[in-house]
């Protein structure tokens, strides 16, 4: 795990993120859990831990500066990405992780327990069926679905002054063309990754324009 730690520390430095040694330990413990459970649960196609540092941890943390508010929901979290890495680095915020896949939510629940994370809850549900008692300041998704559908599916989850953050690969020109809401596309640079990444930011106030 020494190379993983070195790559993670270097990547965090390139992202301009300063976190504690304890948080670094938790991030590395998380990818060890993914590797362990991957054999039975097929959580991710990435098998190499060094690649997990780049494609799971640093990719997730590249959006940290844009997370808004104290209540965040990660829709379609899968193996807990980007929600768990963000929750580890933002312990003062509460994260709700949502996914309809029972195996993946079971893994995330175990990860929450083993990592002793007090600011995370996991729910197994389809996004459109999930009805929270209180709406969220921020909805975040990672390779979830088409932007227009995502806006529609998550509208009931966002607070009045909330923000939707959609993590994407290449600049989604065709998807953006189908969206009436005002969007801001933020280029992301993930240390160690040559592939293009971007973040589409949509304020709640513009949701009504597409619904």
């Amino acid at each position: 795990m020494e190379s993983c730690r070195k790559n993670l520390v270097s990547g965090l430095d390139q992202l301009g993120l300063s976190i504690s040694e304890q948080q670094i330990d938790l991030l590395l413990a998380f990818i060890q859990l993914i590797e362990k459970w991957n054999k039975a649960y097929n959580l991710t196609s990435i098998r190499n831990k060094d690649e997990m540092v780049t494609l799971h941890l640093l990719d997730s943390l590249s959006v940290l500066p844009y997370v808004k508010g104290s209540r965040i929901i990660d829709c379609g979290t899968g193996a807990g990405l980007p929600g768990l890495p963000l929750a580890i680095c933002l312990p003062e915020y509460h994260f709700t992780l949502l996914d309809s896949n029972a195996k993946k939510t079971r893994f995330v629940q175990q990860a929450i327990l083993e990592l002793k994370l007090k600011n995370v809850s996991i729910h197994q549900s389809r996004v459109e069926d999930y009805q929270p008692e209180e709406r969220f300041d921020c909805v975040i998704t990672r390779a979830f679905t088409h932007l227009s559908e995502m806006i529609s599916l998550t509208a009931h989850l966002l607070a009045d002054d909330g923000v939707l953050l959609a993590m994407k690969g290449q600049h989604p020109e065709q998807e953006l063309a189908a969206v009436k809401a005002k969007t801001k596309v933020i280029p992301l640079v993930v240390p160690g990754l040559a592939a293009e990444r971007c973040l589409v930011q949509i304020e709640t106030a513009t949701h009504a324009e597409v619904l």
Side-chain angles (χ1 to χ4, degrees), residues 18 26 39 41 61 81 84 97 102 114-115 127 145 151 158 193 195 198 202 208:
S18 178
L26 285 173
K39 298 165 186 174
Y41 277 57
L61 295 176
L81 302 161
L84 280 179
L97 276 51
E114 292 199 28
L115 300 175
V127 174
T145 186
I151 293 170
L158 272 170
L193 185 65
C198 69
I202 304 170

Side-chain angles (χ1 to χ4, degrees), residues 14-150:
Q14 291 177 62
L15 289 172
L17 301 177
S18 178
I19 65 173
S20 69
E21 284 297 320
Q22 182 185 15
Q23 288 168 315
I24 289 172
D25 289 343
L26 285 173
L27 290 170
L28 294 173
F30 173 51
I31 61 171
Q32 285 183 296
L33 284 172
I34 292 179
E35 183 191 43
K36 176 183 175 181
W37 282 61
N38 220 12
K39 298 165 186 174
Y41 277 57
N42 195 29
L43 300 168
T44 170
S45 60
I46 309 302
R47 295 292 190 263
N48 180 280
K49 289 198 293 291
D50 285 296
E51 290 183 14
M52 289 183 191
V53 169
T54 299
L55 295 169
H56 292 338
L57 299 183
L58 295 176
D59 186 64
S60 294
L61 295 176
S62 67
V63 304
L64 187 148
Y66 309 101
V67 173
K68 172 185 176 181
S70 60
R71 284 175 45 79
I72 298 100
I73 184 168
D74 173 9
C75 295
T77 192
L81 302 161
L84 280 179
L86 289 171
I88 288 169
C89 295
L90 296 170
E92 69 276 20
Y93 295 173
H94 186 272
F95 287 79
T96 297
L97 276 51
L98 192 68
D99 202 281
S100 60
N101 185 298
K103 285 186 177 181
K104 291 179 179 178
T105 57
R106 199 173 301 131
F107 163 74
V108 172
Q109 181 61 57
Q110 187 63 29
I112 292 169
L113 291 172
E114 292 199 28
L115 300 175
K116 297 180 171 60
L117 301 177
K118 306 298 184 184
N119 63 326
V120 188
S121 59
I122 176 74
H123 296 275
Q124 183 193 343
S125 173
R126 294 174 61 86
V127 174
E128 60 268 34
D129 296 332
Y130 182 59
Q131 299 293 329
E133 293 182 8
E134 183 180 354
R135 292 192 289 173
F136 297 89
D137 304 309
C138 181
V139 170
I140 188 165
T141 67
R142 183 178 187 246
F144 180 52
T145 186
H146 193 284
L147 276 174
S148 58
E149 183 179 11
M150 184 160 46

Side-chain angles (χ1 to χ4, degrees), residues 157-175:
L157 300 176
L158 272 170
D160 291 340
D161 59 346
V163 62
L164 171 62
L165 301 176
M167 298 174 68
K168 293 285 184 177
Q170 294 182 335
H171 191 288
E173 292 185 20
Q174 290 187 336
E175 291 185 40

